[in-house]
Amino acid sequence: MQENKALFIIFGGTGDLAKRKLYPSLFRLFRKGAIQKHFAVIGTARREWSDDYFREIITQSISSLNPTPKEIELFTQHFYYQTHNVDNTEEYDTLEKLANKLDYKYQLDGNRIFYLAMAPNFFGTIAKHIKSQHILSDHGFNRLIIEKPFGTDYESAKKLNNDISAAFDEDQIFRIDHYLGKEMIQNISAVRFGNNIFESLWNHHYIDNVQVTLAESLGVEERGGYYDKSGALKDMVQNHILQVVALLAMEPPTTFTDQAIRKEKINALQSVRIYQENEVAQTFVRGQYSQGEINHRELKGYLAEEGVNPDSTTETFVAGKLMIDNFRWSGVPFYIRTGKRMTEKGTRINVVFKSTPINIFRNKEEDIKAVPDMPKNILTIYIQPTEGFSLTLNGKEIGEGFNIEPVRLDYRHSADIIDNSPEAYEKLILDCLKGDATNFTHWDEVATSWQIVDGIRDYWDNENPKLPTYPAGSMGPIESFELIEKDNRHWIWQPDEWYKERGLL
Ligand code: BG6
């Protein structure tokens, strides 16, 4: 792999994200040769650490990748630590000197990646100082990577964006949505635009509905404090789910370049109907997990989790129906759902095609109106934990008579391929090194996503409708099933049935 040259300046270098995701991803890139001799990393945070201690932390954070002692030595010697208080202007001067020194030492051609792996309330201050204290290099590239949450509603996101725009142009800003780094999310475009049998049917004439499920089996774990202020709508729908919907709904880009794709994603998101308050009650459902049991394991309810207000009305589950008001999708619901403590971890997309116009396999004497429709063809895209797709088609059941039976053509990647597939963060960092913004979110996408979500949130906050609960280990409250059943449809993926049949739920 071709070597890339850059200095990484990581704000929040002692944090959990840096340790769990960034350092291992950088190491994987190092092993593959994407960064070799000409790179350096400055970790900054408040704590007083030495370079040596920082390097020990790096060594620990890559230990699960089984590095050899030689690899550890070669890799960690590129890491430097700088104690840093984000409000202190002088400390940015120290940082600037170190950056220039490392640039010279490792011959980095002035390329800089600033990574903000910390709470968003500091982003504005950091961006301002980066500019005023001349840490931006005047040769090579300057790029900014920022983590979610990008604001807590449209207004706060806009302010944040104005703040960082003071130092960086839009094409220098790389907003991470780690779902966009996932192999199968990227594969959505391959499935759609590489296969005429799908793309030519990809519209309201042939598709009955689309279902997107991002289910998690974990609860809020140690993040109760953050999560209780956020909830599932802001934590998962505003970003990951709407990004998936945009990729499924967008028009084919003319070329597969970041600019062309972004344009189409933005158009798709801008066509998502923004609901009036009275429409939210009909189209969106929230829920909170209560105590439950799965697989003979007791799970506590959300209100008993650490860091959560015992009277909290924060939702841990959301299901909803999105409508996309354009020619392609008129009348086709996109049902979405996501939640914590659901039956199983799984991200899946089900594209449900319309039935054939009539069911000709009926008895002559049967009234055509009383005969059920043919089972619908379904394209399923499995994002995680397994990766692949399946297609459900109808065939004839072997034997007497003419019974129709759905059969599933299944393609799942083998574990080997998955093991070798790069981690989302690794891909995204490499994309940023190369200046490819395809898998990052543009400000217009973020802004539109907040506008879609804000209306729903406002209704919940102002009207405080009933907050249904669902037992931990289930697929959400009954209201989620009713939401789709009132349209005469059902959720295609129901792993809870599998558990119930085996007495595990
Ligand atoms: C994050 C959310 O963005 O995505 C978490 O903040 C969630 O609450 C996580 O658990 C899910 O990501 P993944 O990759 O495990 O599906």
Side-chain angles (χ1 to χ4, degrees):
M1 199 182 278
Q2 201 191 339
E3 178 178 7
N4 296 277
K5 298 182 177 184
L7 171 67
F8 296 85
I9 302 181
I10 301 183
F11 292 87
T14 56
D16 195 46
L17 175 82
K19 287 190 263 184
R20 272 188 313 114
K21 300 284 185 191
L22 305 189
Y23 304 142
S25 297
L26 286 172
F27 182 65
R28 281 162 164 260
L29 290 173
F30 175 74
R31 257 191 180 159
K32 290 182 179 164
I35 47 176
Q36 296 172 24
K37 296 199 173 94
H38 302 288
F39 84 98
V41 180
I42 305 177
T44 78
R46 284 194 132 181
R47 290 183 212 172
E48 306 220 337
W49 282 5
S50 63
D51 287 347
D52 283 344
Y53 185 68
F54 187 43
R55 289 173 188 174
E56 264 174 49
I57 297 288
I58 305 297
T59 308
Q60 280 166 22
S61 73
I62 61 171
S63 62
S64 63
L65 299 169
N66 303 320
T68 62
K70 184 86 192 147
E71 281 177 322
I72 293 178
E73 191 202 323
L74 288 176
F75 180 65
T76 60
Q77 68 187 10
H78 292 258
F79 284 73
Y80 296 81
Y81 185 79
Q82 179 72 51
T83 305
H84 186 82
N85 169 357
V86 294
D87 292 315
N88 186 335
T89 309
E90 279 167 25
E91 293 187 12
Y92 287 87
D93 295 336
T94 320
L95 195 58
E96 191 235 354
K97 288 201 187 80
L98 178 60
N100 289 341
K101 190 172 114 191
L102 296 179
D103 192 293
Y104 180 73
K105 176 167 179 187
Y106 292 99
Q107 298 158 40
L108 304 177
D109 292 353
N111 294 336
R112 291 192 182 165
I113 294 185
F114 299 87
Y115 202 125
L116 304 189
M118 55 196 301
N121 46 323
F122 299 116
F123 291 180
T125 317
I126 298 173
K128 197 173 82 197
H129 282 96
I130 287 177
K131 172 134 183 157
S132 68
Q133 302 319 109
H134 311 290
I135 308 185
L136 295 173
S137 93
D138 51 10
H139 59 298
F141 61 69
N142 291 292
R143 294 181 186 142
L144 176 75
I145 303 187
I146 37 184
E147 283 288 335
K148 65 171 276 229
F150 198 84
T152 53
D153 56 13
Y154 172 67
E155 286 305 327
S156 58
K158 196 163 99 185
K159 171 160 187 326
L160 184 58
N161 201 53
N162 287 343
D163 286 349
I164 56 174
S165 302
F168 295 91
D169 296 335
E170 179 62 32
D171 63 2
Q172 295 177 314
I173 302 173
F174 291 70
R175 296 179 194 80
I176 289 232
D177 182 314
H178 78 283
Y179 266 67
L180 297 181
K182 290 185 194 279
E183 186 65 30
M184 283 305 294
I185 296 280
Q186 299 186 355
N187 221 329
I188 294 173
S189 297
V191 173
R192 281 192 61 187
F193 307 126
N195 297 291
N196 200 19
I197 60 163
F198 295 132
E199 189 48 30
S200 50
L201 304 183
W202 210 259
N203 58 52
H204 68 102
H205 295 295
Y206 302 104
I207 291 181
D208 179 81
N209 74 92
V210 178
Q211 302 183 10
V212 178
T213 304
L214 269 60
E216 292 189 81
S217 53
L218 292 179
V220 289
E221 312 303 300
E222 310 85 47
R223 295 165 73 231
Y226 151 78
Y227 193 86
D228 206 31
K229 291 198 197 67
S230 166
L233 186 69
K234 295 184 181 183
D235 188 50
M236 299 291 278
V237 178
Q238 182 271 335
N239 36 61
H240 311 318
I241 288 201
L242 286 174
Q243 283 295 319
V244 173
V245 168
L247 288 168
L248 289 167
M250 70 181 183
E251 293 301 310
T254 40
T255 52
F256 206 67
T257 55
D258 50 357
Q259 279 170 3
I261 296 170
R262 276 178 162 186
K263 191 170 122 223
E264 300 306 343
K265 277 168 70 192
I266 293 166
N267 277 340
L269 286 170
Q270 289 177 342
S271 309
V272 173
R273 191 179 302 168
I274 296 190
Y275 291 124
Q276 303 300 316
E277 290 210 358
N278 60 352
E279 293 172 310
V280 177
Q282 302 306 317
T283 48
F284 267 79
V285 164
R286 56 182 183 159
Q288 190 185 69
Y289 63 83
S290 55
Q291 192 188 5
E293 191 189 309
I294 186 168
N295 222 345
H296 312 296
R297 194 159 73 96
E298 290 262 349
L299 301 170
K300 56 178 151 180
Y302 177 68
L303 297 179
E305 299 278 13
E306 213 183 300
V308 170
N309 172 354
D311 300 321
S312 173
T313 55
T314 299
E315 78 288 351
T316 60
F317 174 93
V318 181
K321 171 161 84 167
L322 297 172
M323 299 305 292
I324 301 179
D325 293 323
N326 60 20
F327 261 46
R328 184 182 284 266
W329 294 115
S330 175
V332 181
F334 279 62
Y335 297 104
I336 58 163
R337 59 180 171 163
T338 183
K340 300 267 182 209
R341 276 282 182 251
M342 292 173 70
T343 315
E344 207 174 278
K345 166 90 179 168
T347 304
R348 285 186 190 196
I349 298 161
N350 300 107
V351 180
V352 184
F353 291 88
K354 290 187 173 167
S355 298
T356 52
I358 54 168
N359 182 346
I360 62 163
F361 305 106
R362 65 186 197 281
N363 295 330
K364 272 205 207 110
E365 35 314 328
E366 273 180 295
D367 174 0
I368 193 146
K369 285 191 233 87
V371 180
D373 286 343
M374 291 289 290
K376 294 181 167 58
N377 300 136
I378 302 168
L379 169 69
T380 302
I381 305 180
Y382 303 92
I383 312 284
Q384 58 179 9
T386 54
E387 300 185 344
F389 11 87
S390 71
L391 184 61
T392 311
L393 301 172
N394 295 317
K396 177 187 167 300
E397 198 179 71
I398 293 178
E400 295 286 304
F402 212 100
N403 288 336
I404 295 294
E405 185 187 44
V407 284
R408 203 161 75 187
L409 310 183
D410 234 329
Y411 169 70
R412 312 264 185 126
H413 289 329
S414 72
D416 277 0
I417 298 180
I418 294 173
D419 268 357
N420 290 334
S421 81
E423 244 239 74
Y425 270 86
E426 177 191 340
K427 277 197 206 192
L428 294 172
I429 294 172
L430 184 58
D431 282 351
C432 179
L433 276 167
K434 292 183 185 306
D436 178 353
T438 312
N439 297 312
F440 295 84
T441 47
H442 187 276
W443 163 243
D444 290 346
E445 295 171 64
V446 176
T448 312
S449 303
W450 276 124
Q451 283 159 341
I452 296 167
V453 156
D454 279 356
I456 301 162
R457 185 78 260 166
D458 286 348
Y459 171 72
W460 288 346
D461 289 347
N462 299 338
E463 301 297 321
N464 199 15
K466 182 174 155 239
L467 173 66
T469 56
Y470 59 99
S474 69
M475 287 307 278
I478 206 95
E479 284 79 354
S480 154
F481 293 86
E482 289 169 355
L483 174 82
I484 182 163
E485 279 158 16
K486 73 180 179 216
D487 293 346
N488 289 323
R489 298 184 176 101
H490 63 273
W491 291 111
I492 302 296
W493 188 41
Q494 301 199 9
D496 40 343
E497 295 303 320
W498 189 95
Y499 282 79
K500 279 183 203 149
E501 277 162 23
R502 285 156 186 81
L504 300 170
L505 199 65

